[in-house]
Amino acid sequence: MSENDDVADSSGDDHAADDLTHTTDEGDVQMVDVGDKPDSERRAVAAGEIRLQPSTIEAIRADQVGKGDVLATARVGAIQAVKHTWETIPMCHQIPITNVDTDFSLAEDRIELRVAVETTGKTGCEMEALEGVTTGLNVVWDMVKAVEKDDAGQYPDTRTENVRVLTKEKQRT
């Protein structure tokens, strides 16, 4: 079983202690051995949102943010995060990324980011998609923080939320 396969016991408990794949019988942390698994084409899509002031959204639309093109920079950050997920999540395997798609949707008070990741390998890519989303949204925040701050230097209207995996697919090659 891979780190990205669903784990469930007959009672319906999705996280039974006996089924944990990243711990030994003694409770030590371990990386899952996926060496004997066949390669599969895999795809995962994750999404999340950043809430911003409507004036910030308008500045992004008009490309009037002082630090530069917010969405282009966030796209690069999201792709970089996907490629480096294995370096930041301790038990993730380094996988060959074959494609990354990013899609930004702007609403009046938020930006939604969807990141689709594809690989051909022995384990899934949903952690990579999630890392792409969270980093991409953090890059947006970094790019607009000067206009999002209130007079006290706080961010009362700014928040990331609703980060989730939308789909996960696997096909034998």
Side-chain angles (χ1 to χ4, degrees), residues 152-163:
Q154 302 302 309
Y155 304 98
D157 300 312
T158 315
R159 64 187 172 277
T160 56
E161 59 188 20
N162 206 16
V163 175

Side-chain angles (χ1 to χ4, degrees), residues 48-121:
E49 302 171 354
I50 184 166
R51 297 247 182 183
L52 302 168
Q53 299 171 51
S55 59
T56 303
I57 297 290
E58 286 309 310
I60 293 168
R61 286 184 199 274
D63 195 20
Q64 294 179 338
V65 175
K67 285 188 172 184
D69 187 328
V70 172
L71 301 183
T73 306
R75 179 171 286 112
V76 171
I79 293 168
Q80 283 296 100
V82 166
K83 293 172 18 178
H84 291 277
T85 299
W86 66 278
E87 294 175 316
T88 58
I89 298 183
M91 299 304 151
C92 263
H93 292 85
Q94 184 177 8
I95 62 173
I97 304 298
T98 58
N99 191 39
V100 179
D101 284 322
T102 59
D103 182 43
F104 293 91
S105 300
L106 282 69
E108 181 182 334
D109 66 345
R110 76 192 75 181
I111 297 173
E112 182 183 70
L113 171 57
R114 288 179 183 235
V115 175
V117 178
E118 296 174 5
T119 185
T120 300

Side-chain angles (χ1 to χ4, degrees), residues 125-136:
C125 53
E126 62 270 25
M127 296 311 299
E128 287 75 7
L130 286 166
E131 283 282 295
V133 167
T134 56
T135 298

